[in-house]
Amino acid sequence: MTPRPCVAVLFGGRSSEHSISLITARGVLRAIDREKWDVVTVGIATSGEWFLCPQEELEALLDANPIAELPVGDELVSLPLKVGESELIVRQDGPCGQTVSRDRHIDVVLPLLHGPFGEDGTLQGLLELADLRYVGCGVTASAVGMDKHFMKLAFEAAGLAVGPYTVVTDRQWALDPRGVRERIAALGFPVFVKPARAGSSFGITKVDCAEELDAAIETAREHDRKLVVEAGIVGREIECAVLQGRGTGAARTSMPGEIEIVDEHAFYDFEAKYVSQASARLSCPADLPQEAIGTIRRNAVTAFEALDGEGLCRADFFYTPDGRVVINEINTMPGFTPISMYPRMWAASGLDYAELIDELLGLALERPVGLR
């Protein structure tokens, strides 16, 4: 019998989105086809250690606390030490103080980490150095896709409509807070104050007046020293899932979906995304004119290609009352929780959860290592 390809599923990580990664991993591990794939589960602690974390331990942890943090396991894991090798190195303390090591062959890595030190190109660079194939965007696309400032610059260069915004650095806020406040006020209220390089709505505040601004800036600075402040846009929130094409084929898009937030949520915040399924409803396909649907799908591919994307992304847009399509951002490793929009949009477009995971792993196996 031909051996099944082995996939190393990575989850956890050092970012504030550690617990989200665990929820994503549980969903993926429940859905992955074990008749097609052999699976090695690797947890990454908030302190940085890599270790084997069996699925049953992850399940028990989340059953006890849905917003959990991984404890460090006994079997520590390292990446291959030499180019051309494809074995994870597993080490465990043995009797009499010696260290017992063994290798575990892998064919592809499925990184299910969100936010800094996982989704931002750092992990992707580590995997590139080890010559390991992996699911998702490469170093450049991951880094640009994590930084809302440079992401917007790439979108503008590609001809996409971007809403008004300004960037606030740590140095600017320290040296000229009055000038920062004036720049932000020129956008008009309300504005959204965001960490430039954080995701999942952590540190984001909707600001309705100047008196609320300083507190919002300090909240965002807890997550990142660089901030992006965006003018509020009146419009419907529309998302579109992008999946890389096979071979030289064009990138594929789902039908656009619309997020409907119930009254207690001012915007699509952390609870609406990951905790309370009743907080956000998805309509897919969104009730939009056919012309707008076509524009959103084309612009989603343009955004993906503007960042030199690979594997997948979710593109987020506003559809304004006057019929404009304005891109908000893309997410290069969107959530795969049971209530996440990316897999739900593909399911509504005819590609179910398990088939989507198969396709992503297949795309990663097709990719050459090294420069592409």
Side-chain angles (χ1 to χ4, degrees), residues 6-7 37 107-111 131-137 243-247 252 310-312 356-369 372:
C6 184
V7 52
W37 304 97
D107 296 285
V108 63
V109 177
L110 176 53
D131 253 12
L132 292 174
R133 291 176 173 83
Y134 57 92
V135 170
C137 287
L243 186 61
Q244 179 185 346
R246 285 279 187 165
R252 297 159 281 177
E310 295 176 274
L312 74 162
L356 179 59
I357 295 168
D358 277 348
E359 184 65 9
L360 287 168
L361 290 169
L363 287 167
L365 284 175
E366 282 187 354
R367 271 166 53 169
V369 294
R372 295 182 290 282

Side-chain angles (χ1 to χ4, degrees), residues 53-190:
C53 179
Q55 182 178 352
E56 56 270 21
E57 293 184 11
L58 175 65
E59 294 275 2
L61 184 71
L62 292 176
D63 286 344
N65 179 9
I67 308 297
E69 180 178 314
L70 284 176
V72 179
D74 295 328
E75 296 183 283
L76 298 181
V77 172
S78 299
L79 291 178
L81 300 178
K82 187 170 69 174
V83 170
E85 296 179 347
S86 56
E87 284 76 32
L88 294 179
I89 302 168
V90 182
R91 303 186 313 279
Q92 185 176 23
D93 291 337
C96 304
Q98 77 267 33
T99 299
V100 178
S101 298
R102 68 182 190 277
D103 295 339
R104 183 66 190 267
H105 172 81
I106 56 171
D107 296 285
V108 63
V109 177
L110 176 53
L112 298 175
L113 288 87
H114 305 297
F117 310 112
E119 188 182 347
D120 61 350
T122 50
L123 175 65
Q124 290 73 19
L126 183 63
L127 297 174
E128 295 278 358
L129 286 171
D131 253 12
L132 292 174
R133 291 176 173 83
Y134 57 92
V135 170
C137 287
V139 176
T140 301
S142 297
V144 176
M146 194 74 236
D147 190 312
K148 294 177 176 62
H149 172 207
F150 291 109
M151 183 196 307
K152 291 178 186 293
L153 295 177
F155 292 161
E156 290 173 314
L160 296 172
V162 174
Y165 71 97
T166 190
V167 176
V168 179
T169 66
D170 195 55
R171 184 172 183 272
Q172 290 168 351
W173 182 238
L175 295 179
D176 187 17
R178 180 177 178 179
V180 168
R181 295 186 192 103
E182 290 174 350
R183 275 195 286 129
I184 294 173
L187 295 172
F189 292 100

